[in-house]
Amino acid sequence: MPPGTIGVVTKELGSGAVSRLQVVSGKGGTGKTTVAAALALALAREGGRTLLVEVEGRQGIAQLFGAETLPYEERKIAVAPGGTNGSGGGSGGEVYALAIDAERALLDYLQMFYKLGSAGRALKKLGAIDFATTIAPGLRDVLLTGKACEAVRRKDKAGKFVYDHVIMDAPPTGRITRFLNVNDEVAGLARFGPIHNQAQAVMKVLKSPETAVHLVTLLEEMPVQETADGIDELRRAGLPVGQVIVNMVRPHHLDEGALRAAAGERRADVAKALSRAGLGGARRGGLAQRLVDPLIAQAAEHASRVELERAQRTVLEGLDVPTYELPLLGAGMDLAGLYELATELRKQAGDA
């Protein structure tokens, strides 16, 4: 999808209708954690509050925000700029973060369902909790998704939601459908009782309009194909597909004529242009002539990449899914970069 058309399909970002649970997945190396963090900042509107949840134990969120290792508790890590254009004209929202630990989550469940209290802590000391979550990876997924959905449903004493949005930095695209759908399997295995009821409650959130599953990709063949496969799996499982977020998009430095010239390797024309620019004569062995080959090689490489990106955009257009595009930040990723990407998301949503 061309960059000029992406804003019209993302108007819901700043509206009250946007899904309250935003799940962000993507092939490894596409920057899904960075996108999840930027999305949390973008959704933390004036006076609003978002929770950014990590489920893989990598502490990637803490590193992005330059914070200490996240504990198993919700901790404020950033304030989003106020004002609709991110210029500080209003009261900023708050971003909280949580690294969910499966063992601690299981203790919470044991206390919630069976009131084990100190007995649950004794099980942890004996290694029973670690044993249970290790031999049953499906159980880990139940605990992780359940904790995130609990944050989505949680209300304060006044009956208002504690968090306006919960953003989950989820597992990679290759296993996102099974990760989110595991509660359906558990609900089928446990026909009654608290576990069955909890699994059903979680799936009610995950398969409702309250949830959107976004897939992060690059304009490269393998990530785009994995994104297409992931969308197909999510749809077949009845899970709500949100947007495709194309990350690290590079600028196009050449116009159409220059791209065609680069593909045609017009050495003589390049040499003459360099000569007119004062870089020596175009004769063989001159400075301009010596610059021709490396310049043409770079231009041809750029033209090839542009053609590849166009082909991948065509594939993405065929998925019939709204698309964002986020630029490649030349200085690398830091906290300032996160705020820049958050601002870009809001611009594309028509919110700036």
Side-chain angles (χ1 to χ4, degrees):
M1 183 176 295
T5 66
I6 59 179
V8 298
V9 296
T10 57
K11 295 291 186 182
E12 74 277 11
L13 175 65
S15 72
V18 66
S19 300
R20 296 190 58 251
L21 175 59
Q22 307 267 328
V23 180
V24 180
S25 181
K27 180 176 171 58
T30 59
K32 69 179 180 66
T33 299
T34 298
V35 170
L39 183 59
L41 285 168
L43 289 171
R45 304 178 59 78
E46 296 86 331
R49 186 185 268 191
T50 64
L51 176 65
L52 182 56
V53 175
E54 182 177 89
V55 299
E56 294 185 281
R58 296 185 294 107
Q59 290 292 331
I61 292 172
Q63 294 173 28
L64 278 173
F65 284 92
E68 296 179 358
T69 299
L70 295 175
Y72 182 63
E73 62 183 36
E74 292 151 25
R75 173 177 293 180
K76 186 166 76 171
I77 59 171
V79 175
T84 56
N85 63 358
S87 61
S91 176
E94 298 176 329
V95 177
Y96 284 71
L98 168 67
I100 302 178
D101 177 83
E103 293 182 31
R104 293 284 298 276
L106 181 53
L107 286 175
D108 287 349
Y109 272 62
L110 292 175
Q111 174 61 22
M112 184 189 310
F113 295 142
Y114 302 109
K115 310 298 181 186
L116 289 186
S118 59
R121 291 190 292 274
L123 287 173
K124 178 175 175 61
K125 289 183 180 179
L126 292 172
I129 302 298
D130 182 53
F131 177 73
T133 55
T134 299
I135 66 169
L139 174 60
R140 293 180 64 89
D141 293 349
V142 168
L143 297 169
L144 298 172
T145 54
K147 187 69 176 177
C149 289
E150 181 275 325
V152 172
R153 300 191 303 262
R154 192 190 314 157
K155 294 183 178 181
D156 60 20
K157 293 181 180 179
K160 292 182 59 178
F161 287 115
V162 172
Y163 294 106
D164 298 289
H165 301 283
V166 175
I167 294 85
M168 180 193 295
D169 178 20
T173 312
R175 77 179 197 92
I176 185 61
T177 300
R178 181 169 179 80
F179 172 76
L180 295 176
N181 215 35
V182 69
N183 286 276
D184 237 0
E185 299 175 13
V186 170
L189 293 173
R191 299 290 183 178
F192 55 87
I195 299 296
H196 172 82
N197 294 337
Q198 172 67 10
Q200 281 196 321
V202 170
M203 289 313 302
K204 185 177 180 180
V205 172
L206 293 178
K207 291 191 174 183
S208 78
E210 283 190 284
T211 299
V213 184
H214 308 304
L215 297 182
V216 181
T217 187
L218 306 178
L219 287 175
E220 298 173 4
E221 187 173 359
M222 287 185 64
V224 167
Q225 184 58 54
E226 191 163 313
T227 297
D229 293 342
I231 288 172
D232 183 57
E233 290 178 2
L234 288 166
R235 285 172 170 165
R236 284 190 279 110
L239 291 161
V241 177
Q243 284 83 31
V244 170
I245 302 174
V246 183
N247 195 25
M248 294 186 270
V249 176
R250 301 178 185 181
H252 292 173
H253 299 294
L254 303 177
D255 60 25
E256 288 298 320
L259 287 172
R260 287 194 296 271
E265 296 193 353
R266 293 163 58 180
R267 286 181 171 81
D269 292 343
V270 176
K272 289 177 182 178
L274 290 172
S275 179
R276 287 195 298 270
L279 293 176
R283 67 184 182 280
R284 188 170 185 83
L287 177 59
Q289 187 66 43
R290 293 198 302 273
L291 289 174
V292 167
D293 285 342
L295 281 174
I296 283 184
Q298 288 188 20
E301 180 182 349
H302 180 74
S304 177
R305 178 171 59 79
V306 170
E307 187 60 32
L308 172 65
E309 290 177 352
R310 285 175 174 169
Q312 299 314 308
R313 279 197 177 94
T314 299
V315 175
L316 292 176
E317 286 174 1
L319 301 178
D320 194 27
V321 176
T323 306
Y324 294 90
E325 290 196 8
L326 294 176
L328 174 68
L329 301 183
M333 186 50 57
D334 55 13
L335 188 56
L338 284 180
Y339 280 97
E340 185 176 338
L341 293 181
T343 299
E344 182 63 27
L345 285 170
R346 294 178 68 166
K347 283 181 180 179
Q348 291 185 29
D351 194 36

